[in-house]
Amino acid sequence: MLMLGAAFTMNIAQMHAQSRYDFSKLKMENLGRGVVAVRESPDKVNISWRYLSQDPESQSFDVYRDGKKINKSPITDATFFTDNYRDSKSAVYAVRPKKGKLSGSYTLPADAPLGYIDIPLDRPELGVDFWGKEYFYNANDASLGDVDGDGEYEIILKWDPTNSHDNAHDGFTGPTYLDCYKLDGTKLWRINLGENIRSGAHYIQFMVYDLDGDGCAEVVCKTADGSIDGTNKLIGGHKADWRNMKGRIIAGPEYLTVFNGKTGEAMSTVDYQPARGELKDWGDSYANRSERYLGAIAYLDGVHPSVIMCRGYYAKTALAAYDWDGKELKLRWIFDSTTPGNEAYGGQGNHNLRIADVDGDGCDEIIYGQMTVDHDGTGLYSTGMYHGDAIHLLSDINNEKYYVWGCHENKKDGTSLRDAATGEVILRYPSNKDIGRCMAGDIDPNHEGVEVWSPSSGGLRSFKGEIIAPQKEFLSEMKSILPVNFCVLWDGDLLTELLDHTTISKYNWETGRADELIKFEGVVSNNGTKGNPCLQADMLGDWREEIIFRTPDNQSLRIYVTDYPTDYRFHTFMEDPAYRVSVANQNVAYNQPAEPGFYFGPDLKGRKFRGTIVK
């Protein structure tokens, strides 16, 4: 397999040629150094840290173990270092820049496990449902936020009861819990969403972000009578039970609550928009389609982050944008497909969404399946290709345009690539089947730009639509020539790796198949066939991504950190607004991987950024 080498430094802001984001005004996190140390073997420890936009291009670093410098010469080409450390005792690793003052440290525990950070969990107790049947809890989707303002992330984890239900099914569910953990396992709080928030992938979309710019992240989600915040205070008028005899919730008040990220305290609760209204408007009369929710973070004014709460995508579709200023949760706008003039936007939603400044005006748009809503709450366009399960945000290698690669359930359009700003279809691979998955990433250096594939694409295709590796037969709507669930930046080159359940594989362009790189043992993936981790994101260390899985007994989370060396140095992807909000939105419905708002891949070679040529 070809490995792409050579030192390189990249400025994320310069990659946004297609956007007019004002990075000097954009309100984002004040990240720390993100130092992490993980054992690769009994005699090797890998240390990794963030290269930040505030660092000069010439920045070099030194690494210390227990106060003693361990690198012979300043580290300039990467933010990754391997220490030959055989002692099983704990050690404190520190990283210090040659210029500036932002240092960071990490304590490697005694007898640390190989390859990952272990975070012990406080699993909720067994529950008993309406009919007397026991259920227990699985650690499910997770998100990130710096809740205490120290420049490093905490993990917000959703606990999913084993009797959770898809909207299509009747049945009572246990309540969903949200926990907040520091990386040492300290639990800061637990929120109980209560009996009037049904448990399942489509009901609970929790957004974690610093919305008011105070340096500490908030948590925002739908609540109801009987929800209990992290300080054990009741939300709503009383502990009413609004469930009907089928376990569904078709009546009662609905709320939207913003919680203090550090304490879990409910700081403000308002009536939830988009409101339930008439059930039949959403596509049925039994609270299946009316209870399909999505959520997102978006920079609607190009400066401040807003919360987007969404409802419906099979028939009526509605989105509501909110702003939090530290005191009030204010409604910015509502988009409703039943408003006269918006009829073309009905039924176009997905099980997930993407956020980006697709039209270059400096403000984010909401890519809501086969439709896109402009930053001001007006419709930008609708393709009319109706609902699908997955969409991906792509950029051409010159970062001049965004594109959307999506699959369709209409048993006609199959999979398509469109211009994200106009909706113009560039490529389409029709199918008379329901295409449930698709994926994109630069996995082959022999073809320009990103590659795309799905069960209907006929195999792996280039960004121009050329067949690279043909698929000899149509396997099913859920299978393709390559995995289609998730992807991840894992090894040391500029190519994207494939993540499916608990296995990372790499595309082999000589055989046209994926070769296994690593299979994570002792952990499990989430959400059935979706096979996603709790989270995939550049949460620690250098620009590569970490992966969070749960153990089968739900007693721990494991944060896996790559042990591949690299000669590349990039600003942390979390400083890219499109990538950062895609991490915040990852837990929404059918989880999709975090994706950058710029082209990333081997075609960076030969291009100049900040005076450096990628070789």
Side-chain angles (χ1 to χ4, degrees):
M1 301 287 284
L2 174 67
M3 294 298 291
L4 304 172
F8 173 52
T9 295
M10 184 186 76
N11 181 334
I12 279 180
Q14 288 184 321
M15 298 300 289
H16 278 272
Q18 80 276 41
S19 170
R20 298 190 184 97
Y21 285 121
D22 187 341
F23 281 81
S24 68
K25 295 181 178 179
L26 203 64
K27 302 297 182 183
M28 296 188 70
E29 297 154 317
N30 184 22
L31 291 175
R33 194 54 73 184
V35 178
V36 62
V38 174
R39 275 204 179 276
E40 177 182 343
S41 66
D43 58 357
K44 286 185 179 180
V45 175
N46 293 320
I47 306 96
S48 183
W49 61 97
R50 294 186 186 118
Y51 171 61
L52 299 165
S53 58
Q54 68 188 66
D55 291 320
E57 185 180 343
S58 60
Q59 185 67 276
S60 61
F61 298 91
D62 289 321
V63 179
Y64 296 77
R65 183 197 336 115
D66 295 329
K68 182 179 178 180
K69 190 172 80 166
I70 55 177
N71 56 298
K72 294 181 179 179
S73 57
I75 302 169
T76 59
D77 295 340
T79 50
F80 182 94
F81 182 80
T82 298
D83 179 28
N84 295 317
Y85 181 59
R86 300 174 181 271
D87 203 320
S88 62
K89 297 188 299 184
S90 66
V92 177
Y93 285 94
V95 173
R96 299 175 187 171
K98 287 292 187 179
K99 299 177 182 179
K101 298 179 180 180
L102 186 57
S103 301
S105 65
Y106 180 87
T107 300
L108 180 74
D111 298 312
L114 302 184
Y116 64 87
I117 302 168
D118 183 79
I119 301 177
L121 299 176
D122 177 19
R123 188 184 190 186
E125 295 180 357
L126 287 171
V128 179
D129 70 12
F130 187 81
W131 307 108
K133 185 177 179 180
E134 285 188 337
Y135 58 87
F136 59 90
Y137 281 88
N138 290 320
N140 192 247
D141 299 333
S143 192
L144 299 173
D146 177 11
V147 303
D148 54 12
D150 65 354
E152 305 302 338
Y153 289 121
E154 282 72 45
I155 296 173
I156 289 76
L157 175 69
K158 181 177 83 169
W159 287 102
D160 191 44
T162 52
N163 63 355
S164 65
H165 282 292
D166 184 85
N167 299 55
H169 305 145
D170 294 337
F172 289 83
T173 75
T176 296
Y177 297 99
L178 297 177
D179 283 1
C180 181
Y181 293 92
K182 295 188 75 65
L183 297 190
D184 63 2
T186 301
K187 188 180 78 173
L188 298 183
W189 47 257
R190 169 168 291 166
I191 294 168
N192 178 356
L193 293 179
E195 296 174 338
N196 294 312
I197 299 291
R198 201 167 187 245
S199 295
H202 300 289
Y203 295 100
I204 299 157
Q205 322 303 341
F206 61 100
M207 294 294 106
V208 183
Y209 216 81
D210 179 10
L211 298 169
D212 58 4
D214 67 351
C216 300
E218 291 79 36
V219 180
V220 182
C221 68
K222 190 172 185 279
T223 57
D225 286 342
S227 297
I228 300 172
D229 76 3
T231 65
N232 208 36
K233 291 181 180 178
L234 188 68
I235 294 172
H238 54 298
K239 251 191 169 179
D241 189 342
W242 293 102
R243 297 174 295 178
N244 65 18
M245 291 304 294
K246 294 183 178 181
R248 295 183 180 273
I249 302 160
I250 62 173
E254 302 176 293
Y255 308 125
L256 184 66
T257 299
V258 55
F259 297 92
N260 184 297
K262 187 175 183 179
T263 66
E265 178 185 8
M267 296 188 290
S268 178
T269 296
V270 298
D271 289 338
Y272 184 88
Q273 295 286 354
R276 181 187 294 122
E278 294 291 331
L279 294 186
K280 61 181 177 60
D281 292 344
W282 305 96
D284 59 49
S285 59
Y286 61 99
N288 172 8
R289 296 185 172 185
S290 67
E291 302 305 293
R292 304 277 178 158
Y293 299 94
L294 298 178
I297 299 295
Y299 286 85
L300 298 177
D301 65 357
V303 178
H304 307 92
S306 299
V307 177
I308 314 296
M309 286 291 154
C310 317
R311 190 176 206 147
Y313 34 81
Y314 292 108
K316 178 179 176 178
T317 297
L319 296 78
Y322 289 88
D323 297 322
W324 169 250
D325 63 3
K327 296 180 180 179
E328 291 185 84
L329 191 57
K330 297 179 180 179
L331 184 66
R332 175 183 281 261
W333 49 251
I334 294 179
F335 175 88
D336 188 331
S337 66
T338 62
T339 300
N342 288 344
E343 292 85 358
Y345 294 85
Q348 304 301 317
N350 257 51
H351 288 300
N352 40 73
L353 74 179
R354 294 290 177 181
I355 305 295
D357 174 18
V358 302
D359 57 8
D361 62 1
C363 303
D364 281 337
E365 282 71 48
I366 302 99
I367 305 166
Y368 200 78
Q370 298 311 308
M371 55 176 269
T372 295
V373 176
D374 209 345
H375 68 276
D376 59 1
T378 60
L380 192 61
Y381 66 83
S382 173
T383 69
M385 290 190 286
Y386 292 95
H387 166 72
D389 280 7
I391 50 173
H392 300 280
L393 179 71
L394 317 176
S395 176
D396 62 87
I397 62 171
N398 296 313
N399 294 303
E400 293 174 342
K401 282 187 177 182
Y402 281 126
Y403 296 83
V404 177
W405 172 245
C407 51
H408 310 283
E409 287 189 0
N410 62 7
K411 298 183 179 181
K412 183 182 69 172
D413 291 303
T415 323
S416 66
L417 181 74
R418 73 177 191 258
D419 185 316
T422 66
E424 177 190 359
V425 175
I426 310 299
L427 302 173
R428 182 189 281 128
Y429 304 105
S431 173
N432 60 3
K433 297 181 181 291
D434 171 354
I435 303 302
R437 300 286 187 279
C438 61
M439 188 51 64
D442 199 336
I443 62 174
D444 188 338
N446 301 306
H447 295 80
E448 185 176 88
V450 172
E451 285 75 49
V452 296
W453 65 99
S454 80
S456 76
S457 64
L460 179 68
R461 291 185 180 266
S462 73
F463 196 68
K464 297 178 181 178
E466 307 158 316
I467 281 283
I468 297 172
Q471 185 165 296
K472 295 181 179 179
E473 59 181 289
F474 189 94
L475 302 176
S476 79
E477 67 271 17
M478 298 297 288
K479 295 182 180 179
S480 72
I481 187 174
L482 297 171
V484 286
N485 276 339
F486 250 65
C487 58
V488 63
L489 295 171
W490 185 255
D491 65 13
D493 63 24
L494 301 181
L495 293 166
T496 299
E497 285 68 56
L498 308 175
L499 174 61
D500 188 41
H501 294 270
T502 58
T503 299
I504 295 178
S505 58
K506 193 172 187 70
Y507 177 66
N508 185 326
W509 48 88
E510 294 178 350
T511 65
R513 293 293 184 266
D515 296 335
E516 182 178 306
L517 280 186
I518 182 172
K519 182 175 178 60
F520 299 106
E521 303 292 344
V523 292
V524 291
S525 59
N526 283 332
N527 302 318
T529 60
K530 284 73 177 174
N532 61 271
C534 298
L535 190 75
Q536 156 256 347
D538 179 17
M539 64 177 293
L540 290 165
D542 66 19
W543 55 274
R544 271 88 60 82
E545 293 173 308
E546 287 67 52
I547 307 171
I548 304 178
F549 287 111
R550 63 181 173 97
T551 55
D553 61 6
N554 293 285
Q555 297 299 313
S556 296
L557 294 179
R558 293 182 180 178
I559 304 176
Y560 285 92
V561 182
T562 184
D563 59 3
Y564 283 82
T566 183
D567 292 326
Y568 294 101
R569 185 172 79 171
F570 302 105
H571 291 159
T572 172
F573 277 34
M574 295 298 247
E575 291 186 317
D576 168 41
Y579 181 89
R580 180 63 185 92
V581 299
S582 76
V583 172
N585 306 339
Q586 190 176 136
N587 69 79
V588 169
Y590 292 174
N591 309 56
Q592 294 291 281
E595 294 172 341
F598 51 84
Y599 167 75
F600 187 82
D603 291 308
L604 289 174
K605 292 190 300 176
R607 293 170 180 265
K608 184 176 181 180
F609 299 100
R610 297 184 70 184
T612 304
I613 298 292
V614 190
K615 298 181 180 179

